[in-house]
């Protein structure tokens, strides 16, 4: 295509790391993801102003999933559009936009259960600051839905769950650019060395679907990620590198499945759970993982728990 659509990446600070939002310059301008509650006035407005774009002109707020670093700023961005942008979220994660307390429930089910009360309280305070106020979405999307951004620019929704239960990828039609955010974690996840995967079987399926059926020409990801060499790449992955990004994500999935099967095939209750990495201590030792799960977010615990659940389900069959 001779006239590609202009996309402006906006890096939004999130604790010691960052998450990306993307402005799509179209007759009905769209913002994909919104950072945390403070990102609207801190980074998003500033970057758009540098590009002579006003927040009030945004017509669409498209959320890829419900994690706080992507959805936390939704309400604040919407307010800055004069409450006129349409807010869109995957159907399966709409509860996280409506109801702030849903984030705390999810936290307690995942990372929260591996840390002590003091750390839990610290995390809840961070989440409370970052989530932003709840709101009603205008549209809850599912796979195959199409949205017109005006002119001949449109977006198709592809369901890519796994990183979270309802993650979607927004495909800019014709150009075949995929706004996948966190649906693709590369080999080493967002810098930490471990991808963040809540549903391994769905994650695997989504990667294969993107690789075999969608074949995007470009990826816009939610973070900087680590590739198989430990180098930091993204958030934009172009052309030839798209296939290797998807393949390396699948390689890591296979590695995690193998690791968990070897270390946790014994009764998990008999594993020492008191250390920093709970029942996953021996896995951390084998892969040389030294991240601190008392930091938020910690992909290690969330992902290990998910692969362990998958393994348990296979035993029960
Ligand atoms: Zn996420």
């Amino acid at each position: 295509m001779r006239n590609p659509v202009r996309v402006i990446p906006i890096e939004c600070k999130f604790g010691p790391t960052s998450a990306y939002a993307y402005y799509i310059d179209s007759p009905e301008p769209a913002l994909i993801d919104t950072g945390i509650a403070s990102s609207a006035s801190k980074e998003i407005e500033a970057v758009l102003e540098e590009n002579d774009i006003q927040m009030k002109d945004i017509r669409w707020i498209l959320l890829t999933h419900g994690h706080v670093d992507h959805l936390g700023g939704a309400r604040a961005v919407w307010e800055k559009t004069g409450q006129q942008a349409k807010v869109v979220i995957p159907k399966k994660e709409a509860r996280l936009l409506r109801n702030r307390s849903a984030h705390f429930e999810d936290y307690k089910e995942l990372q929260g259960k591996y840390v002590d009360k003091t750390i839990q309280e610290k995390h809840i305070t961070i989440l409370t600051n970052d989530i932003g106020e709840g709101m009603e979405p205008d549209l809850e999307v599912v796979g195959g839905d199409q949205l017109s951004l005006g002119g001949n620019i449109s977006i198709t929704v592809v369901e890519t769950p796994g990183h979270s239960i309802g993650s979607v990828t927004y495909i800019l039609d014709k150009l075949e650019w995929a706004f996948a955010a966190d649906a693709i974690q590369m080999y080493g996840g967002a810098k930490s060395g471990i991808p963040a995967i809540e549903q391994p079987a769905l994650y695997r399926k989504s990667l294969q679907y993107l690789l075999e059926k969608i074949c995007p020409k470009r990826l816009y990801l939610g973070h900087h990620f680590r590739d198989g060499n430990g180098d930091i790449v993204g958030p934009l992955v172009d052309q030839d590198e798209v296939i290797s990004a998807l393949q390396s994500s699948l390689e890591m999935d296979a590695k995690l499945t193998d690791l968990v099967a070897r270390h946790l095939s014994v009764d998990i209750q008999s594993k020492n759970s008191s250390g920093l990495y709970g029942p996953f201590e021996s896995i951390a030792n084998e892969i040389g993982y030294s991240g601190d799960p008392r930091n938020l977010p910690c992909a290690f615990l969330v992902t290990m728990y998910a692969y362990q659940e998958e393994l348990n389900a296979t035993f029960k069959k």
Side-chain angles (χ1 to χ4, degrees):
M1 198 177 190
R2 290 193 61 174
N3 296 312
V5 174
R6 181 166 70 135
V7 175
I8 302 171
I10 305 166
E11 187 169 12
C12 301
K13 216 174 143 21
F14 174 51
T17 174
S18 63
Y20 276 85
Y22 294 100
Y23 174 86
I24 302 180
D25 194 2
S26 44
E28 295 180 28
L31 187 72
I32 297 198
D33 286 339
T34 57
I36 56 171
S38 60
S39 306
S41 44
K42 276 194 185 148
E43 293 100 345
I44 299 172
E45 191 165 39
V47 171
L48 292 183
E49 265 174 17
E50 282 164 22
N51 287 278
D52 293 324
I53 296 160
Q54 304 206 357
M55 296 282 276
K56 68 174 178 50
D57 294 331
I58 296 172
R59 289 289 177 277
W60 294 93
I61 297 167
L62 308 176
L63 302 166
T64 57
H65 64 298
H67 286 163
V68 61
D69 47 336
H70 297 260
L71 157 151
R75 173 76 189 233
V77 170
W78 180 71
E79 295 287 356
K80 281 184 177 288
T81 70
Q83 303 187 344
Q84 63 166 349
K86 286 200 165 58
V87 182
V88 179
I89 188 163
K91 194 178 187 63
K92 287 200 180 112
E93 305 211 353
R95 60 187 266 279
L96 291 159
L97 183 66
R98 279 200 183 96
N99 182 2
R100 282 161 60 99
S101 65
H103 291 266
F104 305 126
E105 288 159 21
D106 286 3
Y107 166 78
K108 282 177 185 157
E109 279 296 305
L110 295 166
Q111 186 176 356
K113 69 177 163 203
Y114 295 103
V115 296
D116 66 34
K117 236 188 153 51
T118 329
I119 306 284
Q120 261 195 28
E121 279 165 13
K122 208 178 102 191
H123 289 171
I124 295 286
T125 308
I126 296 173
L127 286 173
T128 307
N129 284 332
D130 289 350
I131 290 168
E133 278 180 60
M135 65 182 298
E136 196 56 33
D138 292 282
L139 203 57
E140 296 177 31
V141 286
V142 296
D145 285 352
Q146 208 175 36
L147 307 166
S148 169
L149 306 187
N152 59 355
I153 301 174
S154 64
I155 278 193
T156 299
V157 179
V158 173
E159 290 187 14
T160 47
H163 165 69
S164 70
I165 189 104
S167 290
V168 301
T169 292
Y170 293 107
I171 309 278
L172 200 52
D173 296 327
K174 299 185 191 86
L175 288 164
E176 297 166 60
W177 292 351
F179 293 84
D182 298 357
I184 301 164
Q185 291 277 309
M186 310 277 285
Y187 191 81
K191 290 190 187 174
S192 73
I194 291 287
I197 301 164
E198 293 177 8
Q199 304 280 339
L202 297 178
Y203 181 67
R204 203 169 298 139
K205 224 170 125 183
S206 296
L207 292 172
Q208 276 155 352
Y209 187 72
L210 287 171
L211 193 61
E212 289 157 18
K213 299 276 192 275
I214 304 291
C215 314
K217 293 208 164 63
R218 179 183 282 182
L219 305 175
Y220 287 94
L221 303 174
H223 305 272
H224 295 284
F225 287 97
R226 277 195 198 278
D227 68 9
N229 302 319
D231 295 330
I232 292 169
V233 288
L236 200 156
V237 177
D238 231 341
Q239 298 288 347
D240 305 347
E241 284 157 9
V242 172
I243 291 175
S244 66
L246 288 162
Q247 280 169 342
S248 73
S249 305
L250 281 163
E251 273 166 38
M252 181 47 114
D253 162 64
K255 181 176 165 180
L256 289 168
T257 306
D258 168 68
L259 270 172
V260 170
R262 281 192 289 109
H263 286 264
L264 299 176
S265 53
V266 290
D267 176 11
I268 189 137
Q269 301 304 328
S270 66
K271 284 261 174 187
N272 173 20
S273 297
S274 58
L276 199 54
Y277 303 112
F280 313 116
E281 185 106 38
S282 61
I283 297 181
N285 288 339
E286 180 178 327
I287 62 174
Y289 180 77
S290 58
D292 190 340
R294 290 167 299 191
N295 292 334
L296 188 78
C298 173
F300 181 81
L301 293 173
V302 169
T303 299
M304 288 302 149
Y305 172 74
Y307 278 80
Q308 174 219 314
E309 286 286 288
E310 185 180 51
L311 182 72
N312 290 347
T314 346
F315 279 142
K316 281 181 198 144
K317 269 184 193 160

